[in-house]
Amino acid sequence: MLVSEKDLIVREEACRIGLLFGGFTGSFHGLHCLLRKLRGKETPLNGFLAGSVAGLSVLALDDPSRRRTLALYLLARLAQCAYNSAKSKNRFHFWGSHWRHGDSLLFAISSAQVMYSFIMRPETLPKAYQDFIAKTGPIALPVYRAVRESCRGGPIDLVALSAYLSSRMGFQSLKLDPHAPIIPCSIIHPDTASCLAHNANATYSTFRKTFPLYFSLTFVPFVILHLQKFMESPMRTCWNATKGAVRSTSFLSAFVGLFQAVICLQRKVVTRDHKLIYWFAGCIAALSVLLEKKGRRSELSLYVLPRAADSFWYILVNRHLLPDIKNAEVLLFCLCMGGIMYYLEYEPDTMAPFLRGLIRRFLASRISTADPAPKLGAPYSYVNTLNSGHDLNSQDKHPKSPAGSLESGEQLNLEAFSGL
């Protein structure tokens, strides 16, 4: 009743998102102060417990799949923080972590799982995710269903496939056995006889469809987050946004073209289809991520990894290899938030700058690097520093500050913090 659209003049979704972020922020600050007062000291355990309990605010989202997506995303970020922390302390290194393209390898494995799930187990992906892949690719859904039925050895729905093919120009009649071992290229791309021409058209079509989207995603943040720079040099900002959009669009277009090329090549070599071919095709297509900037590759990997893990977990549960625990995503989200808040307060350098800056904005920028000397912790030393009234010359007397070492003449304000 609290968030029902019948009793509100705003959208229910907006209320749920507001309850999630607002509930977490208020709960975390209140619990953090309460634990500090009850325990009489500031320790990493306070931040972990406060973050974990405040993570219950995820219950504001009534969709378990969305909660699971957020939990898996945080799990990937927490694993990144834990690994960066261990690596900085020379405790251990993963095999291959020194590779120059380790992030591309992670993206390839994650993309392979996602593309396999899209072809063979689409129910493991959210509907919006399925729609995006289907609209980006040049293959129609009836053909995907026929490929899936062929791989599983079941009868192909010739009625639905014929209805689709009859609407395509130049297609005469469907001559296909209901138990065909493989769907030929003539059905996969009925409008184009040449596989090479089809792959080229798929690449160009994807570029044309997705460039406006990527340009808006690149240009709008440039203007909003760097408004002053945009006002000073608008042409340079537009040029940088255009370059970024072209690069990202080329990556996605090449992904589609490579995936279709592997599928067509397989049909030239073998006479029977296999579901693992689509996992392999996704892995090969993911090499297009090399067109992106080095810094973007790891972000793309961590974006796709939770979706791939979610799909893989769903498949294991469906095959009764893992137990289906009710509200497990809530517990996972709480534990991950506790870990994230620990690293944000005590080891912020292990976090991605974007995530660190985003959480600090929601938490009123009170969380920063902990100073082991004071008992009250870094957040309170920061507040005391702001209230001390010292001039800029007296800042040299403070060897540590939440923003790190400050040079003389540098003003201690929110702009001094990394990520803000």
Side-chain angles (χ1 to χ4, degrees), residues 105-125 129 133 255 259 275-286 304-316 319:
L105 177 61
L106 179 60
F107 179 79
I109 296 175
S110 302
S111 299
Q113 176 62 33
V114 169
M115 296 309 299
Y116 168 83
S117 300
F118 175 73
I119 301 295
M120 300 306 302
R121 301 296 297 270
E123 69 276 6
T124 64
L125 297 175
Y129 215 78
I133 298 177
F255 186 100
F259 186 82
K275 57 185 179 181
L276 290 181
I277 290 296
Y278 303 98
W279 193 96
F280 179 74
C283 193
I284 295 299
V304 181
L305 178 60
R307 184 59 61 202
D310 186 21
S311 172
F312 187 65
W313 175 84
Y314 187 96
I315 293 175
L316 292 179
R319 294 182 177 180

Side-chain angles (χ1 to χ4, degrees), residues 267-325:
R267 280 150 174 77
K268 303 295 183 184
V269 177
V270 301
T271 58
R272 178 172 293 275
D273 205 357
H274 196 280
K275 57 185 179 181
L276 290 181
I277 290 296
Y278 303 98
W279 193 96
F280 179 74
C283 193
I284 295 299
L287 295 177
S288 60
V289 77
L290 296 174
L291 296 175
E292 276 284 11
K293 293 181 179 180
K294 177 65 175 177
R296 284 268 298 163
R297 297 173 196 170
S298 58
E299 293 297 321
L300 287 170
S301 302
L302 291 175
Y303 173 76
V304 181
L305 178 60
R307 184 59 61 202
D310 186 21
S311 172
F312 187 65
W313 175 84
Y314 187 96
I315 293 175
L316 292 179
V317 171
N318 186 259
R319 294 182 177 180
H320 304 288
L321 297 177
L322 286 178
D324 187 10
I325 304 175

Side-chain angles (χ1 to χ4, degrees), residues 25 29 357-367 382 414 420:
T25 302
H29 281 303
L358 181 65
I359 298 178
R360 279 175 171 170
R361 289 195 181 194
F362 279 107
L363 294 177
S365 308
R366 290 294 185 261
I367 303 299
Y382 166 57
L414 294 181
L420 291 180

Side-chain angles (χ1 to χ4, degrees), residues 35-337:
L35 288 172
R36 186 183 298 110
K37 183 176 181 179
L38 293 177
R39 303 185 69 215
K41 57 182 179 180
E42 173 64 30
T43 64
L45 183 61
N46 293 351
F48 176 80
L49 291 177
S52 298
V53 178
L56 292 173
S57 59
V58 76
L59 291 172
L61 302 179
D62 60 343
D63 187 0
S65 63
R66 295 190 62 189
R67 297 199 297 255
R68 186 168 61 250
T69 299
L70 286 175
L72 290 172
Y73 176 78
L74 286 179
L75 180 62
R77 292 296 184 174
L78 181 60
Q80 180 189 33
C81 293
Y83 176 68
N84 289 338
S85 176
K87 188 175 182 180
S88 64
K89 299 173 184 176
N90 293 321
R91 291 182 177 177
F92 71 93
H93 299 273
F94 284 138
W95 174 78
S97 62
H98 60 284
W99 293 353
R100 183 181 179 184
H101 301 298
D103 46 9
S104 302
L105 177 61
L106 179 60
F107 179 79
I109 296 175
S110 302
S111 299
Q113 176 62 33
V114 169
M115 296 309 299
Y116 168 83
S117 300
F118 175 73
I119 301 295
M120 300 306 302
R121 301 296 297 270
E123 69 276 6
T124 64
L125 297 175
K127 185 64 168 58
Y129 215 78
Q130 297 179 43
D131 293 342
F132 175 77
I133 298 177
K135 291 179 180 179
T136 304
I139 309 300
L141 290 178
V143 178
Y144 284 130
R145 285 194 291 267
V147 169
R148 182 162 57 252
E149 293 163 355
S150 175
C151 287
R152 293 175 176 175
I156 300 173
D157 189 356
L158 296 180
V159 175
L161 190 60
S162 298
Y164 160 72
L165 294 175
S166 62
S167 64
R168 312 305 298 177
M169 297 179 59
F171 190 84
Q172 301 298 330
S173 61
L174 177 62
K175 298 180 180 179
L176 185 68
D177 185 79
H179 296 277
I182 192 170
I183 303 298
C185 288
S186 59
I187 296 180
I188 291 181
H189 46 86
D191 298 334
T192 309
S194 171
C195 292
L196 184 61
H198 166 71
N199 296 330
N201 291 336
T203 303
Y204 170 74
S205 176
T206 303
F207 189 95
R208 186 181 59 183
K209 288 186 295 186
T210 57
F211 178 77
L213 172 64
Y214 273 110
F215 181 77
S216 62
L217 292 176
T218 307
F219 179 75
V220 172
F222 263 94
V223 176
I224 295 179
L225 300 179
H226 306 283
L227 182 59
Q228 185 175 359
K229 291 183 179 180
F230 173 73
M231 298 300 294
E232 294 175 355
S233 55
M235 295 302 298
R236 181 178 179 83
T237 301
C238 293
W239 172 245
N240 291 334
T242 303
K243 285 196 305 181
V246 169
R247 197 165 189 170
S248 297
T249 309
S250 300
F251 144 68
L252 186 59
S253 304
F255 186 100
V256 174
L258 286 174
F259 186 82
Q260 295 298 323
V262 174
I263 300 305
C264 290
L265 180 62
Q266 176 222 6
R267 280 150 174 77
K268 303 295 183 184
V269 177
V270 301
T271 58
R272 178 172 293 275
D273 205 357
H274 196 280
K275 57 185 179 181
L276 290 181
I277 290 296
Y278 303 98
W279 193 96
F280 179 74
C283 193
I284 295 299
L287 295 177
S288 60
V289 77
L290 296 174
L291 296 175
E292 276 284 11
K293 293 181 179 180
K294 177 65 175 177
R296 284 268 298 163
R297 297 173 196 170
S298 58
E299 293 297 321
L300 287 170
S301 302
L302 291 175
Y303 173 76
V304 181
L305 178 60
R307 184 59 61 202
D310 186 21
S311 172
F312 187 65
W313 175 84
Y314 187 96
I315 293 175
L316 292 179
V317 171
N318 186 259
R319 294 182 177 180
H320 304 288
L321 297 177
L322 286 178
D324 187 10
I325 304 175
K326 187 177 182 180
N327 294 327
E329 73 279 356
V330 178
L331 176 62
L332 180 61
F333 183 88
C334 291
L335 294 177
C336 290
M337 281 308 306

